[in-house]
Amino acid sequence: MQWRNSPSRYGLVSIMAHWLVAVAVFGLFGLGYWMVGLDYYSGWYKRAPDLHKSVGLLLFALMLGRMLWRWLNPPPASLPNHGQLTRLGSKFGHAFLYFGLFVLMLSGYLISTAEGRGIAVFGWFEVPATITGIPNQEDLAGLVHEYLAWALVIFAGIHALAALKHHFIDRDRTLLRMFGR
Ligand code: HEM
């Protein structure tokens, strides 16, 4: 399989990035949902948010790389059996997934750095605080982060269902080509 996208196929880099991001998004959502209910005396009370923030920041770097790769390597065209509405829906749907993910990660960063403290990524390096002066920053960013996380994960679920519909009902190559087939 080729590394780069072609006019009719996704290449290995786009495919690996897509599935890595998909696992990270659902994993971070589950971790985030679980960790906000943790008791102060739990051994995970500090470890879980540290893990959530570290993976979130690595995901941000991965998404920047993915966007750059996409710009250098445009994705394949829609399949010929996709109608006008399907094409438009997938275009806006994918744009929402990309944009929503960036806003979600940015709001997470603004929560954690609101007090001026940087974020340590697995103790390897620290991402410094930059924007700290927004009134009620932590609460405001927290609200955006929570509601957007729900919206994005529900939307990603609909997106996955649409892929299954293409595979099992329309019987086209939409899902298969995200596996390089
Ligand atoms: C298990 C769940 C998922 C399945 C089955 C799935 C399936 C697919 C498939 C088949 C495509 C290719 C669509 C096409 O060729 O027109 C695609 C593209 C895409 N998916 Fe997913 N996906 C899943 C999860 C996610 C998640 C969690 C995200 C991000 C939040 C995501 C974001 C995207 C984006 C942005 C594209 C467009 C890629 C591009 O052309 O730039 N997907 N997905």
Side-chain angles (χ1 to χ4, degrees):
M1 195 200 303
Q2 78 271 20
W3 293 95
R4 300 171 69 102
N5 298 332
S6 76
S8 63
R9 283 166 167 269
Y10 281 106
L12 204 56
V13 174
S14 300
I15 292 172
M16 286 194 310
H18 174 270
W19 292 114
L20 211 59
V21 172
V23 170
V25 165
F26 287 119
L28 282 172
F29 181 80
L31 178 61
Y33 187 78
W34 174 68
M35 77 187 190
V36 290
L38 283 176
D39 184 65
Y40 180 75
Y41 298 100
S42 160
W44 283 95
Y45 186 76
K46 193 176 162 340
R47 238 185 303 161
D50 283 347
L51 184 64
H52 186 84
K53 288 183 265 185
S54 295
V55 176
L57 282 171
L58 292 181
L59 180 64
F60 179 71
L62 174 63
M63 284 300 292
L64 285 182
R66 185 178 177 190
M67 293 309 291
L68 180 69
W69 184 257
R70 191 182 196 278
W71 179 63
L72 296 169
N73 276 273
S78 291
L79 294 175
N81 68 308
H82 290 177
Q84 199 65 31
L85 203 65
T86 306
R87 282 162 203 245
L88 209 68
S90 77
K91 201 174 169 153
F92 280 106
H94 295 164
F96 174 72
L97 288 170
Y98 279 123
F99 179 72
L101 208 48
F102 274 110
V103 177
L104 184 64
M105 294 185 288
L106 184 70
S107 60
Y109 167 78
L110 290 177
I111 303 172
S112 302
T113 55
E115 302 290 320
R117 277 188 301 272
I119 303 172
V121 177
F122 291 118
W124 300 334
F125 59 92
E126 187 167 301
V127 176
T130 46
I131 305 164
T132 54
I134 303 171
N136 281 332
Q137 179 165 325
E138 200 171 338
D139 293 343
L140 214 62
L143 271 183
V144 172
H145 198 67
E146 185 185 348
Y147 283 105
L148 195 56
W150 275 102
L152 204 79
V153 93
I154 290 171
F155 197 79
I158 295 171
H159 162 80
L161 286 177
L164 293 177
K165 183 237 178 215
H166 279 293
H167 189 71
F168 290 109
I169 298 179
D170 305 338
R171 296 185 177 277
D172 68 23
R173 285 196 312 115
T174 305
L175 182 60
L176 289 178
R177 72 178 183 170
M178 213 13 130
F179 284 103
R181 307 262 305 274

